[in-house]
Amino acid sequence: MPDSVMQNSFHLDAVPIRLERCGKTFAGGARALEPLDLTIRGGETIVFLGPSGCGKTTTLRIIAGLESPDPGGRVLFGEEDVTALPIERRNVGMVFQSYALFPNMTVAENVAYGLKVRKIARADRGRRVEEMLDLMHLGEFAGRRIDQLSGGQRQRVALARALVVRPRVLLLDEPLTALDAKLRDSLRLEIDRLLRGLGITAVYVTHDQGEAMALGDRIVVMAKGRVAQVGTPREIYYQPADGFVADFIGTMNRLGGMARGGTLSIGSATLPWSGPEGAVELLVRPEDLALAGEADGHLGGTVAAAVFLGDRTRLVVEPADGPALTVDAAGRSELGRGDRVWLRVDPARVLAVP
Amino acid sequence: MRDLSHRRGWGFWLQLGFTLLVCALLTVPMAMSMLAGLTANYFVGLKSGLTLRWVDEVLRVYSGTILLSLQIAFACLACTLVLGVPAAYALARRPGRIARLVEELLMMPVAIPGLATALALIVTYGGVGDLRGSWLFILIGHVLFTLPFMVRAVLAVMGSIDLTTLEEGAASLGAGFLRRFATVVLPNCRSGILAGSLMVLTLSVGEFNLTWLLHTPLTKTLPVGLADSYASLRIEIGSAYTLVFFLMIVPSLILMQGLSRRGRPSV
């Protein structure tokens, strides 16, 4: 039911965002963001992902209008250059990690705030607030004070407050970070459902790769003020641009190999190979390493640790030489510390870094 | 109930006794003084009977000082609100060494003896127009003395809430600076503003050090009149004066406490 309501009566414009040479140097000379060019398509959910201090929040704040880019940088919403406009004149919706709800107002008053600022007539305002509270399953809390709500409810109020004014773009700054794990999952699903239903252009900042993969149409991985890679979650996961991205997203194994004349030698095995020649570093996901018998295995090693995760057992295998490898085995696997195992590598699923 | 009283050992009674003793130490002199204001003849003692004669005389002779004290206190409150709240806001929003330095400088009038401040004011502004003879001169001294208390009280509350994010939230919804200040900043600093106001009112009404030097025979405030009457009149009059002072300040204290309690979010 809520989905159909959203698609019929509450659908927002999909405005593209363009960042042109947007850099940020703070007073004192610290470079928070190297000049960045990026186009966010209308209706797309883009996630800025990276460790703290990577420039992702600065980028979001430049889009929001809470920071201005260094001279020469431009921010465009559609065809309109909004670089000089402060946040209050950009018509954006923003959701903060710390909610930023007004403690001096009730839930309904919080949601009505933006409409009041826009001088929407009282009757219309009341109707829109009610509609939005229902959409966010907050109807029964309309008269509550903010300090009477749980963290999850607060963040839903923050979303309602940001969306009720029908913003051009929705900006979310680590909205789930302050919540506990279970709540995070359910609210993430709710946000995902909302963003798909609304069709709004959304920019989402997080340091949590799980959130990024689940929500993003595209992910912008950032490190030290630079964009490390822009791509769909699959591209980021399976074709990481460099070692940093590979390590930051999921678990990645590193293997030393030697490629020569169309073959690749790993350990004692030789495989057909079409990648770069010479000594290469190979990146392999745990799920792309398979347990095998001694006859068809490529690499031998000893189990150093086995962690039962229910659906699978995660093994840490120490080969004769080189760093330890992480491998996923079946959940019912009986393998344990000290067992001797053989691993198979699928060369088609291996990424080579020269 | 019985279980609880069983557990009360000698430590409890010792603490209770000590607390009551300290309370008595503070309240007995006040009570004695106020009682003296109601006694027909203090030297004879209570057996001379109780009377409102002295209170009546104080109200008749000193009503001018009482009104002036109230006038100065509320004018002082208005000035400290207008100056202090924006000052606290500016200090709260600007974290840095200069802001901290200004904060410390603001406390200077508290650290310097009132007499010295008053003397400095007289030396500097005493010759400006009619200022020396005007109640505004006392007001200036009071504002100087009470402003730090207002700034500190408001700043303390501003520091305890995430003002920057609240304002960013309001701005993201389209609110310009003045609207943000009026609808988000001020209401959320209410408890600090009320506490500061309470402080300013009581400090101003009771201020003696500065006022004693700044006043003229025509601009006497209540505490100055009190000192005069103690020095030159019967002790009953001075005591009745204390009683009047007390009756005047207590309702406003209770009122403001009530206001600040109502301002707190109900849980």
Side-chain angles (χ1 to χ4, degrees):
Chain A
M1 213 282 276
D3 284 38
S4 62
V5 169
M6 266 185 311
Q7 266 146 19
N8 296 337
S9 71
F10 202 80
H11 197 84
L12 296 167
D13 288 340
V15 180
I17 302 171
R18 205 156 82 239
L19 300 177
E20 290 178 1
R21 310 271 320 141
C22 281
K24 184 69 191 177
T25 312
F26 283 114
R31 202 65 176 294
L33 185 66
E34 300 292 332
L36 164 79
D37 288 283
L38 183 72
T39 301
I40 301 166
R41 293 188 280 266
E44 182 180 35
T45 298
I46 201 149
V47 179
F48 285 94
L49 174 68
S52 60
C54 69
K56 59 189 191 297
T57 297
T58 305
T59 312
L60 183 84
R61 290 174 68 86
I62 288 175
I63 298 172
L66 289 168
E67 307 275 359
S68 47
D70 290 341
R74 296 211 304 159
V75 181
L76 294 107
F77 286 2
E79 292 304 306
E80 188 193 349
D81 186 339
V82 297
T83 316
L85 295 182
I87 182 168
E88 60 261 35
R89 293 175 54 201
R90 285 196 187 184
N91 194 18
V92 296
M94 190 148 178
V95 176
F96 298 83
Q97 181 181 340
S98 55
Y99 321 117
L101 295 172
F102 310 130
N104 56 316
M105 302 177 201
T106 63
V107 167
E109 285 167 346
N110 263 279
V111 177
Y113 189 84
L115 297 174
K116 252 187 201 166
V117 171
R118 284 166 176 73
K119 301 194 168 59
I120 306 287
R122 179 185 289 271
D124 197 17
R125 201 163 72 207
R127 191 181 47 74
R128 279 170 70 175
V129 168
E130 203 176 313
E131 233 175 64
M132 186 46 74
L133 288 178
D134 286 343
L135 179 68
M136 297 305 298
H137 312 294
L138 287 166
E140 56 182 308
F141 304 111
R144 292 265 185 104
R145 298 192 72 93
I146 299 308
D147 54 13
Q148 296 169 311
L149 301 180
S150 71
Q153 288 162 347
R154 286 180 202 204
Q155 206 50 297
R156 296 218 306 274
V157 175
L159 272 164
R161 187 181 70 171
L163 289 170
V164 76
V165 298
R166 296 176 188 154
R168 284 195 284 189
V169 299
L170 182 64
L171 308 170
L172 304 107
D173 187 8
E174 306 228 11
L176 303 180
T177 304
L179 304 174
D180 58 65
K182 196 152 187 166
L183 214 53
R184 206 151 52 212
D185 285 343
S186 70
L187 197 56
R188 195 192 66 213
L189 287 170
E190 202 163 339
I191 290 177
D192 190 41
R193 180 178 64 84
L194 256 178
L195 295 180
R196 306 288 151 221
L198 295 174
I200 191 175
T201 310
V203 183
Y204 190 107
V205 163
T206 182
H207 64 267
D208 182 314
Q209 44 127 342
E211 265 171 59
M213 307 272 266
L215 288 171
D217 292 319
R218 282 192 302 158
I219 297 174
V220 180
V221 185
M222 298 189 70
K224 295 183 184 136
R226 285 172 204 281
V227 171
Q229 189 174 3
V230 183
T232 64
R234 279 171 180 278
E235 284 166 357
I236 302 275
Y237 191 79
Y238 290 118
Q239 290 135 42
D242 57 28
F244 170 80
V245 178
D247 283 332
F248 194 73
I249 312 283
T251 307
M252 191 61 100
N253 290 308
R254 286 158 186 274
L255 274 173
M258 179 59 84
R260 199 178 294 120
T263 59
L264 174 70
S265 344
I266 306 171
S268 57
T270 306
L271 308 168
W273 182 247
S274 57
E277 297 278 299
V280 288
E281 185 169 42
L282 304 166
L283 304 177
V284 198
R285 293 285 179 198
E287 62 271 27
D288 292 334
L289 281 173
L291 289 171
E294 190 168 353
D296 55 352
H298 298 147
L299 259 162
T302 317
V303 175
V307 182
F308 175 58
L309 298 171
D311 54 338
R312 64 208 146 93
T313 299
R314 180 148 277 202
L315 304 176
V316 177
V317 176
E318 282 175 344
D321 59 345
L325 302 169
T326 304
V327 190
D328 283 343
R332 295 183 195 281
S333 164
E334 297 285 336
L335 287 168
R337 204 177 143 80
D339 288 340
R340 181 104 185 120
V341 292
W342 286 87
L343 303 174
R344 260 187 86 82
V345 182
D346 180 352
R349 294 186 175 179
V350 164
L351 211 73
V353 183
Chain B
M1 278 307 282
R2 268 186 72 203
D3 281 12
L4 266 178
S5 56
H6 264 300
R7 259 180 253 136
R8 283 175 185 162
W10 57 273
F12 170 80
W13 298 110
L14 197 71
Q15 281 182 24
L16 184 68
F18 185 70
T19 308
L20 288 177
L21 195 71
V22 170
C23 289
L25 201 69
L26 295 171
T27 51
V28 165
M30 284 300 289
M32 290 291 283
S33 174
M34 283 189 282
L35 200 60
L38 296 171
T39 310
N41 187 328
Y42 183 74
F43 297 102
V44 176
L46 267 180
K47 60 178 173 289
S48 67
L50 293 172
T51 174
L52 281 174
R53 186 183 141 207
W54 309 116
V55 175
D56 186 55
E57 199 164 324
V58 164
L59 287 178
R60 213 153 18 83
V61 179
Y62 288 101
S63 60
T65 68
I66 295 168
L67 287 178
L68 182 66
S69 271
L70 287 175
Q71 179 186 340
I72 291 178
F74 281 100
C76 181
L77 176 59
C79 290
T80 50
L81 282 173
V82 169
L83 295 171
V85 176
Y89 174 77
L91 288 174
R93 285 304 302 267
R94 207 170 282 272
R97 210 174 304 155
I98 295 175
R100 297 291 79 79
L101 193 71
V102 171
E103 205 181 316
E104 291 309 316
L105 282 177
L106 266 172
M107 290 307 285
M108 287 292 276
V110 182
I112 295 172
L115 288 174
T117 313
L119 217 57
L121 281 174
I122 292 169
V123 168
T124 317
Y125 301 116
V128 179
D130 294 334
L131 195 59
R132 182 69 185 87
S134 161
W135 68 277
L136 291 173
F137 202 44
I138 299 175
L139 177 63
I140 291 171
H142 281 204
V143 170
L144 201 65
F145 172 61
T146 55
L147 187 61
F149 293 94
M150 177 63 86
V151 173
R152 274 288 161 104
V154 178
L155 204 54
V157 173
M158 284 179 170
S160 71
I161 56 177
D162 189 353
L163 202 59
T164 311
T165 310
L166 281 182
E167 263 203 84
E168 284 179 356
S172 76
L173 293 162
F177 173 74
L178 285 179
R179 186 184 270 270
R180 294 200 297 264
F181 196 75
T183 59
V184 175
V185 176
L186 288 184
N188 286 303
C189 295
R190 183 176 152 158
S191 62
I193 295 172
L194 282 170
S197 302
L198 178 75
M199 199 76 185
V200 167
L201 274 185
T202 45
L203 282 175
S204 173
V205 167
E207 212 295 321
F208 178 74
N209 289 347
L210 277 162
T211 320
W212 186 68
L213 267 190
L214 295 178
H215 87 281
T216 65
L218 292 175
T219 55
K220 248 190 234 177
T221 64
L222 200 153
V224 173
L226 191 62
D228 282 0
S229 65
Y230 267 120
S232 56
L233 295 170
R234 291 184 64 146
I235 190 143
E236 290 91 340
I237 300 233
S239 299
Y241 209 156
T242 310
L243 186 63
V244 170
F245 179 77
F246 196 70
L247 289 177
M248 211 172 78
I249 207 80
V250 166
S252 72
L253 283 177
I254 292 172
L255 185 76
M256 302 210 73
Q257 285 285 3
L259 277 176
S260 66
R261 192 160 304 125
R262 228 182 47 191
R264 235 168 277 154
S266 50
V267 177

